[in-house]
Amino acid sequence: MKKILSLVLVSALGGIITLSAYLLFIEKNENQITNSTITTSSVPYFNTSNTPVTNYGTLNAPDFTDVATNAVHTVVHVKNTTISRTPMTLQDLFLGRSSERAQIGTGSGVIISPDGYIITNNHVINGSQQLSITLNDNRVYDAELIGTDEKTDIALLKINAENELPFATFGNSDQAKVGEWVLAVGNPFNLNSTVTAGIISAKSRDLSGINEQSFIQTDAAVNSGNSGGALVNTRGELIGINTAITSKTGSYIGYSFAVPSNIARKVVEDIMEFGNVQNGILGVRGGELNSISAEKFEVNTTQGFYVSDVEENSGAEKAGVKQGDIIKRIDNITISKFSDLSGYLSTKRPEDVVNLTLLRNGSEKTIPVTLSKSEIATIDFLDMQLRNIPNDIKKNNNIDHGVVVIKNENYALYKNLGINRGYIITEINGQHIKTVDDIMKLKQQLGNDDKKLRKMSVINSSGQKESYIFR
């Protein structure tokens, strides 16, 4: 018995000694090595999600069948017949044939009312002598051109059908989100009732380079013939009119562009009510902010629209907008680039009220602004578009009167004399021109007879004064 107890005690004592030695020497050294390794490591630490994927395959894939079925009945095939004159050949002369040739262009359109109003692109119907519409059920109708807007590339047509037609319901394009599923419906390459799917890739895209556009960008396939067709969301609402692609080949290469429905709807409503588009003007000049412009303007933010000048008697001036203000939001639209601002204003009319959120002296404030009428007027007898001179141009060029040429389609004044965009007209027939109102008064006196134009004084794009005498 004593031998057994002695053996147990010796074994226990040996275990205690072994454990103590391990804790004292070996584990201590391991801890030191581990701590040293963590301290000297240069590998960064990244957050990693270990959440398992619970759904695979097509369990949550969107079903477009109902939306596509309804949408194809609201989209029509537009045929545009133009007459072109070609040089007469000997064969034409001997056979007594005319040198005129009929050319047919095709595109798409969207029915927007049960009584036959159809929206399409201006470039689809431009120069037409005859327009015909083919419905999805193959009925064909002659179409009447109600009106167009070249700036937004929107046109409104009308057909007279025997009964009510299926029509698209406008959605709110401001609420469309990047990543949202959309369908493009149209007639590419004369293939009727074609539906393609994609997502919204971006919003407020400007392809012009001069901040005139605000497209919805999508990767739904769009090709020649899709122009004027529908871009619809998964509820079947019309959120855009397919308008353009950018491609070196002229065919779809991955993305396309649509006029937002809010802009398109406002344009056709203006055409129906007023006969032309009513543009509401904020009355500010400036540019969008980025790292370079923020440094130039000495501001601490890289997003928003910097106000470099406020036009005289504009809604912005009356509301208290000042030079140096930064427009951060207009109503509920965040302004990160100029096309955000110009696109939203394209949906507004004169006398509409918008709420501007401004950054001024480091703090934000929101003020209501009543939009004013456009300062641009078309002068028919001169075939030019003219506008009042902005205050900053007056100041920088030491000019106190005149109107700026925005567009010149008068062959003699443009081709022969070189009067172009940016020229300033200061005098016509001995009368000083201070504002567009003076031009309008002159128009009332002279009518549309450009032969009554005797003398014109201008300031050219180099700042030099020139005078022209017409005989």
Side-chain angles (χ1 to χ4, degrees):
M1 188 66 165
K2 289 182 178 180
K3 288 182 179 181
I4 295 174
L5 291 174
S6 298
L7 183 59
V8 171
L9 289 173
V10 170
S11 299
L13 182 60
I16 292 171
I17 292 172
T18 302
L19 179 61
S20 299
Y22 175 81
L23 293 173
L24 180 62
F25 298 104
I26 299 177
E27 186 177 32
K28 182 179 179 180
N29 289 338
E30 286 183 355
N31 286 338
Q32 288 176 348
I33 293 172
T34 303
N35 291 339
S36 174
T37 301
I38 292 174
T39 302
T40 60
S41 175
S42 61
V43 179
Y45 174 76
F46 298 103
N47 290 325
T48 304
S49 173
N50 294 309
T51 305
V53 177
T54 57
N55 291 321
Y56 293 90
T58 59
L59 292 178
N60 291 327
D63 184 356
F64 298 131
T65 54
D66 289 339
V67 173
T69 299
N70 294 328
V72 294
H73 293 297
T74 68
V75 174
V76 301
H77 199 174
V78 180
K79 291 186 179 180
N80 168 7
T81 303
T82 60
I83 304 299
S84 62
R85 289 196 172 130
T86 59
M88 183 168 285
T89 64
L90 287 175
Q91 190 176 20
D92 291 334
L93 188 61
F94 284 125
L95 296 177
R97 295 187 312 197
S98 170
S99 62
E100 294 183 345
R101 301 285 187 273
Q103 293 184 330
I104 298 178
T106 61
S108 304
V110 186
I111 304 171
I112 56 174
S113 70
D115 57 346
Y117 280 99
I118 295 170
I119 187 172
T120 186
N121 285 138
N122 177 63
H123 75 262
V124 169
I125 54 84
N126 191 34
S128 63
Q129 268 83 40
Q130 182 180 0
L131 289 168
S132 67
I133 300 296
T134 303
L135 304 185
N136 189 57
D137 61 7
N138 296 325
R139 285 183 291 170
V140 179
Y141 297 93
D142 289 333
E144 176 189 1
L145 177 61
I146 303 300
T148 66
D149 180 51
E150 183 179 354
K151 180 180 178 182
T152 56
D153 199 11
I154 292 296
L156 182 64
L157 311 178
K158 178 70 166 63
I159 62 173
N160 296 315
E162 304 82 12
N163 43 38
E164 290 190 350
L165 300 172
F167 62 95
T169 300
F170 281 100
N172 187 346
S173 54
D174 288 339
Q175 294 179 353
K177 297 180 179 179
V178 173
E180 179 180 343
W181 280 102
V182 289
L183 300 181
V185 188
N187 305 284
F189 308 121
N190 285 325
L191 300 173
N192 290 353
S193 305
T194 297
V195 180
T196 56
I199 62 169
I200 295 176
S201 307
K203 296 177 65 178
S204 301
R205 284 293 197 213
D206 175 35
L207 306 181
S208 69
I210 53 176
N211 297 314
E212 285 191 344
Q213 301 166 332
S214 186
F215 288 127
I216 295 174
Q217 179 181 326
T218 173
D219 64 354
V222 169
N223 282 290
S224 176
N226 270 112
S227 291
L231 186 71
V232 299
N233 59 23
T234 54
R235 294 184 296 275
E237 298 167 340
L238 182 67
I239 62 168
I241 300 298
N242 297 315
T243 298
I245 58 176
T246 57
S247 168
K248 294 180 180 180
T249 65
S251 298
Y252 173 77
I253 59 170
Y255 45 82
S256 54
F257 303 89
V259 177
S261 60
N262 286 5
I263 295 177
R265 186 185 70 247
K266 186 259 183 184
V267 168
V268 297
E269 287 175 349
D270 281 356
I271 290 174
M272 293 175 70
E273 184 174 354
F274 304 104
N276 55 27
V277 178
Q278 305 291 298
N279 295 310
I281 302 300
L282 189 59
V284 297
R285 289 165 56 85
E288 63 185 52
L289 289 173
N290 52 39
S291 297
I292 298 174
S293 59
E295 183 177 350
K296 173 185 175 183
F297 295 131
E298 299 181 349
V299 296
N300 297 323
T301 181
T302 57
Q303 284 194 322
F305 181 85
Y306 181 84
V307 178
S308 61
D309 185 56
V310 182
E311 293 192 14
E312 206 172 350
N313 297 320
S314 66
E317 183 191 54
K318 294 175 182 177
V321 179
K322 298 180 180 180
Q323 180 183 358
D325 285 345
I326 298 171
I327 301 176
K328 302 292 288 185
R329 286 186 302 278
I330 178 168
D331 290 338
N332 62 339
I333 304 298
T334 299
I335 306 302
S336 59
K337 50 188 178 294
F338 181 72
S339 53
D340 292 326
L341 180 64
S342 61
Y344 186 73
L345 289 174
S346 295
T347 68
K348 299 297 178 181
R349 299 181 179 87
E351 306 303 323
D352 283 350
V353 177
V354 297
N355 291 308
L356 291 186
T357 299
L358 308 172
L359 183 63
R360 179 184 296 171
N361 299 326
S363 60
E364 287 190 357
K365 63 180 300 185
T366 300
I367 60 174
V369 178
T370 301
L371 301 180
S372 50
K373 292 183 178 180
S374 171
E375 296 293 336
I376 297 176
T378 301
I379 310 304
D380 295 333
F381 76 97
L382 289 179
D383 289 331
M384 292 193 295
Q385 284 186 345
L386 308 170
R387 66 163 297 169
N388 292 337
I389 305 175
N391 291 332
D392 58 342
I393 294 182
K394 283 184 178 180
K395 182 178 179 180
N396 294 336
N397 295 278
N398 194 25
I399 300 170
D400 60 0
H401 69 283
V403 291
V404 181
V405 177
I406 300 299
K407 186 176 182 181
N408 186 2
E409 295 181 344
N410 186 305
Y411 183 84
L413 296 180
Y414 175 54
K415 295 292 184 181
N416 297 341
L417 302 180
I419 296 176
N420 202 351
R421 180 185 176 94
Y423 275 58
I424 296 173
I425 298 176
T426 58
E427 183 180 314
I428 295 179
N429 287 1
Q431 297 186 29
H432 281 284
I433 303 299
K434 295 182 178 180
T435 66
V436 172
D437 290 338
D438 293 330
I439 294 289
M440 298 305 292
K441 293 176 183 177
L442 197 62
K443 176 183 174 181
Q444 293 175 355
Q445 297 173 13
L446 303 182
N448 294 322
D449 188 1
D450 58 1
K451 294 181 180 179
K452 295 182 179 180
L453 181 63
R454 298 186 181 91
K455 181 180 180 183
M456 177 183 291
S457 298
V458 303
I459 300 174
N460 63 26
S461 55
S462 300
Q464 300 173 330
K465 295 181 179 180
E466 299 177 355
S467 293
Y468 306 102
I469 297 176
F470 302 91
R471 300 182 182 278

